[in-house]
Each structure stands twice: as C-alpha cells, then as structure tokens.
Amino acid sequence: MQYVEKPPHIDPVRMRHITDEDLLAATGTATVEELRRHLSTRTGPRPVFDVARWAAGMSGTETAAQAVAAADELLGTEVDFLDKGRGRSRLYGFHYLRWMSPLVSAYALTGDPAYAKEWDRLFGQWYDSRDHVAGDWPGLDVVWYSLGVWSRSSLITQALAVFGEEPALSREGWLRMVKTVLGGARWAAEEHDEFRQGNWQFACASELLHVAAVFPEFDEASGWAEVAKARILDHLELDVRADGGHHERSPGYHSMCVEAVQRAAVIGEQYLGWDLAAHPRVRAMHDWYVALVTPAGWIPHLQDSGLYWPAAHLLRGHYLLGDPGYEALARRWLTPEQLRGELAWLPPRPDGAPAPAPAPAGEPDSSSRTLDTSRYAVFRTGWEPDSLHTVVNYGPFVGHELEPHSHHAALDFVLSGWGVPLAWEAGGPPSYDDPGYYDWFQATRGHNTVLLPGEEFAADRDATCDTFAALPHVDVFAGHHHGYPKRHDRRIVFVRESPSYWLVTDEIEDGPEAVWQVHGRSPWSERAGGHANVRGPGLYVLPAEPEAVTGVLHGSGPSRIPDPSTRTAEYGEIHTLGLRQRAGTFTVGLFPYAEDPPAVRLRGGEVSLDGVVDAFSGHQWTRCDTGGVLLAAACWGPSLVHDGIALVEARGLVAADVTYQGGFAAVVDTDRCTELRVHAPGVTRLALNGVRLRPGLTVTLPSSGRWRLEAAADE
C-alpha cells in the first residue's frame, strides 16, 4: 500500500495503549494521584495562549456569553465517532475534537462542573472508539496522522490545565487525556525525525515543542524538543519562501503555519531560552499578510483557502516582533472587545515588559508590490476602507502530502473596493468532500481568466511575470503562461489616479475562440455595449471592441462573501459574465463604482471618463483633459512620448511617471547610471531626490534605481 506519511509505526504499548505503570515511570512519580496533583497545582509551565488567562480577561463580555452558549449546546449530545456519513475528509477533521473546545472555555469562565463532566463523557467515548474508526483515504489513519495528533494535543493540553483536579473529570478520563498527549508526542517524534515539506509536519512539530515545554516531567521531553526545533528551522528554511509565504501559496494554510511559528516562538521565549522570533523568515511570514490583505482586513481566498482575517495574527506578530505597523492594522480592524480578547491570550513577557499597549502606531507602507517567490502581484491605493485592491496570481501548481491545494488557473485576478469584492472567485470549498470541489472551486472556470473551450488547463503552466511597475499614476502587471497548448499573455494596467479603473489586455497565440470571464457579487445587466452589476459596489465591464464579442455567457456558483462588519464570510452566490471572442488580442475595461455605473467611452486604446481622456499605446499611458492639455503620463518601457515629444529620455529607462498638473514632478526607474532629460515647459531648475541642482533639464542619474525629480524654484 502507498502511505501518505510514514508506514504505520503506532506502537500498541508505547503509544496506543499506555499502561499506568509506563506513564508513572515516564514522569518519575509513584502514583496517579500524585501526578495529577502535581500537574494541577504547579505554578508552571502553562499552555501557550492559555484559555484560563483568556477567561480571566473576558469574563462578563458578549464573547464569553457566546462561548458558554456553545458549550451548553454540547451538553447531552449523542455522537457516533465511527460515522462515515460525515464525509471522507470531514471524518478526519471531526476526530481533531476541536468541536469540544467550548466545554473547556465554558469551564474556565464559570467553574461549572457540568462542562467537565460532559468533556469526560465525550472524551471517554472517543477514546473507546479510536481503535475502530476507519477512513476512506488510502494509507492514512484517521487518528494517528500529523494533523490529528497536532490538533488533539493542543486542545487536551489546555483541558488538562483548566480542569485540573476537578472531581467531575474522572480519574480514568484524566489518565486517558495524559496518555493521549504522551502517546501522540512519542508518535510525532518518530514520524518527524527528518524533514518533509508541507503544512502537516510544520504544525505537528510546533505542537511537539509545546508538549515538551509544558510537560518537562516526561523523561523524553528534551529529545522531543530537539526534534521539534530542528523541524521548525527546516521548514523556515525550505518550506517558507523568501518573501514569507508558505510553500503552498494558500493564505489559509499559510496562516496555519504562522500560528505554528507563533506558538513555537512564544514557547521558546517563555520556557526554552530560544529566540525563534529573531529568525528573518518569522517577520517575513507576517509581512506576507501585510502585502496581501485588503483595506477591509481580509485576505482573498486564493487557492484552497478560506477567506482569512489576519488582524489577530498581526497583533501577535507585534507582541513577538514589536512592529508598530502590525499593531496599527490590528487596531484598525478589531473591535475593542475583540482586541481585549486577543490581548487576553498573550502571556506576560518573560523580561517583565508589557504586552502591546494602546499607543498610536503608524500603518505600513501601502505601495503596490510583488511577492516574487510566492508569485502574487498586489496593487493597492491605500488603507482607507474605500481604497481599491488587486491581487494577480502568476504562480505554479504546488504539490501536497495528500492532494494539491493549487487551483487550475494563472494570470487570474481578484479585485475589491469599498470593503467588498468587485471581481471575485470560487475560492476554497466548504469541505474537500464537496461535489463541486474539482469542477468549480479548483477549476479554471471558477476564476477571472480566459477559458479556451475544449482545452484542459495543464498543471505545469510555467506562469511568469514579464513586467511589473508600481508608479504614482498607474500600476502595471504583464505576464504569460503555457497552461494551454497556445501561449496566453495578459497585461493589467491599473489607473490609480481618480478616476480609477483597470484595463486588461489578453493575447492568445493563433487567436482561437476564447471566453473572457469575470465573476461579480450580483447579476450582470447589459449596458451601453458592456455589462454592469445590478447592485453596487460593482463593476462596469466594457470591451474595447464590442463587435468582436460573438456571444455572452452567464452562470453562477457558490463562494464565500466577506462581511467586514462581522469579520465573517458565509457562502453566497457569485455571478459569471463570459464574453466569447474570436480575436487573438482583446482588451476589456473594468470600471468600479460604489452606487451607479459611470458614463464611459472605451474605443481601441482610448478611455473617456469623468472629464479626462486616457490613451494607451504599447507600453505607455497618457491623461489629458477634454481640451487636450496633458495632465500626466507614464511608461513601463524604454520611452515616454506624447504628440511626438519625448517627455523622458534616458538610456536604460525601465519605467517613468510624469505629472504636469499643479507643477512638474517625475519618478524614473533606470537600470544603469545614465544621463536623463525631461520635458518640463516653464521649468528651469530641478531637484533630484530632494537635492536642488544647477539650472537645466538634463541631469545625471548616478546609478540604477528609482529617482524622483521635481521643479525647483530659482533663487
């Protein structure tokens, strides 16, 4: 049989059915009563992110009341732990036992023995059934696999600390809990004695370190800690990309690994004298959140991911790393009660320094950027709630221990504005057992890209970013992929300066029939040669050559829709607009609106909108008023010309952005030391990077890089 992890090594005595004698020998205690009393009354160490500390800080809040209500719903619940009707994948997740966690929280809040008694009953039933449960994933045990061991151990460790000597938790129930933690740690140390890529080992190694630190009484604890530390460092080196993203490129699984790293870093700081937070990849993993997160506080559900809200993880990142930008974003998105709850989880610093205080902090840089190794391009206009945001995917298909979490699309994008999605995608499924998992959520048709009817999208798509420019007036991404037998090129120009919009140009080799596709939050209605969502905020989708559209396709499918007011994302319906085209090259404008679609004229490479006329040609953009006066211009190539006049001249020009409205200013990117000349009527003297130069419009740029010029007054 082919096994997903190592071939089974579940020792029936050391792991599955540990005797009382073995447990006492492993901890150097004489009786079960002595061991329980010791673990229940010692002053430390406590579990990381201790639920007892959280309960003390949250007593009397609505959050606490909700936790108690969730526990009350479990009282008397009858559970069939062998029920395969839960689904092939969900059966494994059910045995993580996370659904029992409200009982621990409620007891910590109230001290009511009813919750400990219910835990005792349910956990005993699980323990009795665990040897009999069988899953339908070949070669993968439901109970003894990395994520199951990780999840149960982290929960049971909390439960042991909270219930302590509570009489409602029986002697046998307490013993079974300790033996489950001990057996799981022994299994994990053997399973993960060498590096294996993926989130399973990363999470499990973090919990192995946690058990080793919280239960130093176990005679094997120091050995577990060494194994765990080695694997965590392996993953930071080989499983986290240089830009901080986890190897699988999924925000959800990235967050699972961030949580593992945060847990390990706090353990190291609190108990082991190990400064894991100083590792540069730890900061990079938090910066990855900052790069991708929308101004409304959520990260799109890219690849197999739920929609993720990183505010709590950023607050913990500030606790570990002291980055004021993380704190500023967390405070922007968390309510006072949520902030109180997150701070309540954090332990006092071992050096006596306080946890994050409510001091003002500066928000991170809001520039557009690429995540070069994760292969996402991000455009943003700022951190305000109505700011526009774009993510373009140009990454590879990534494998996994069990099933890949990558989706079958490249050069696809998602857009948002006013706190909600504008161009959305299917995202991750409710469960990997969902019947639409393969033909909707992972499929090309669930994404905003180009479909070639009858062609399968190859896993080896060789997607590449050819051009990226982040300039004051425009952001530009251009790339190509070979996911189809015919090469697909796509260029997205995001006009940042109001009126803002996206212009998307696609080219398919040999010009076969293609369907240009976008998904919106509401249905589409025909409007003046294009289509607009029937409700705002939305998009007005306008092809540059409407006559090239040979058909319009509509559809719909499920997707999580974020609600910033509640920080939730329930499944709703997204609506597909497909434009069937036969042209080899086609351009589509996407014009965002809060309430009503704007009046736009798009023809060829010219856009007329809100009193300005924008022109696109080759590798440049210009903006004039309706009288033809040049207001601004930009290029993402070797020249910038308007009406036959070179606005910027330089050897090695990579990109440039010039404004004439309200005074002359320019941003220039070059790849070498070069002489630069600019067209600036009425200007006699320039300042370069703030340094006032001698009169003249020709300057020397001393090296490659980005340079800023502006008009300087004569003395």
Side-chain angles (χ1 to χ4, degrees), residues 29-45:
T29 47
T31 67
V32 171
E33 288 70 26
E34 177 188 341
L35 179 60
R36 184 171 185 179
R37 184 164 50 254
H38 167 72
L39 293 180
S40 301
T41 59
R42 63 181 184 171
T43 56

Side-chain angles (χ1 to χ4, degrees), residues 376-461:
Y376 289 114
V378 184
F379 305 152
R380 68 168 75 247
T381 58
W383 290 113
E384 295 307 311
D386 60 351
S387 297
L388 299 175
H389 182 269
T390 308
V391 179
V392 184
N393 164 44
Y394 63 99
F397 190 89
V398 179
H400 180 261
E401 295 103 321
L402 187 59
E403 280 199 313
H405 290 303
S406 291
H407 287 189
H408 297 285
L411 309 188
D412 49 309
F413 57 82
V414 289
L415 313 176
S416 67
W418 297 278
V420 299
L422 300 175
W424 206 216
E425 65 176 35
S431 160
Y432 296 128
D433 301 318
D434 191 284
Y437 178 46
Y438 298 108
D439 67 0
W440 168 248
F441 293 102
Q442 279 206 340
T444 313
R445 73 185 185 95
H447 301 78
N448 301 312
T449 188
V450 174
L451 307 181
L452 296 189
E455 298 284 4
E456 291 291 326
F457 196 87
D460 185 12
R461 58 249 203 157

Side-chain angles (χ1 to χ4, degrees), residues 18-39 42 160 174-175 178-179 181-183 186 211 214-221 224:
I18 298 171
T19 64
D20 293 358
E21 291 74 20
D22 183 10
L23 174 62
L24 295 174
T27 55
T29 47
T31 67
V32 171
E33 288 70 26
E34 177 188 341
L35 179 60
R36 184 171 185 179
R37 184 164 50 254
H38 167 72
L39 293 180
R42 63 181 184 171
L160 285 167
W174 184 88
L175 273 170
V178 178
K179 291 174 181 179
V181 172
L182 174 58
R186 286 171 168 172
V211 172
V214 174
F215 297 106
E217 294 84 358
F218 290 135
D219 57 3
E220 299 162 73
W224 298 339

Side-chain angles (χ1 to χ4, degrees), residues 493-512:
V493 180
F494 173 45
V495 180
R496 302 170 54 87
E497 184 81 4
S498 181
S500 300
Y501 58 91
W502 297 265
L503 198 73
V504 183
T505 300
D506 290 278
E507 182 176 357
I508 306 291
E509 200 171 58
D510 298 333

Side-chain angles (χ1 to χ4, degrees), residues 11 66 314 360 391 501 504 506 523 533 560 642 659 693:
D11 190 287
Q66 291 171 357
L314 287 173
V391 179
Y501 58 91
V504 183
D506 290 278
N533 294 114
R560 291 180 176 92
H642 176 67
T659 183
L693 304 178

Side-chain angles (χ1 to χ4, degrees), residues 4 27 77 156 456 462 578 584 639:
V4 179
T27 55
T77 301
I156 296 167
E456 291 291 326
D462 192 21
S639 61

Side-chain angles (χ1 to χ4, degrees), residues 55 73 146 160 242 259-260 273 310 363 380 410 427 442 447 453 511 549 572 589 605 611 614 617 640 650 681 685 713:
E73 291 183 5
S146 292
L160 285 167
E259 186 166 332
E363 288 176 338
R380 68 168 75 247
Q442 279 206 340
H447 301 78
V549 177
D614 291 355
S617 59
L640 180 56
R685 188 187 292 264

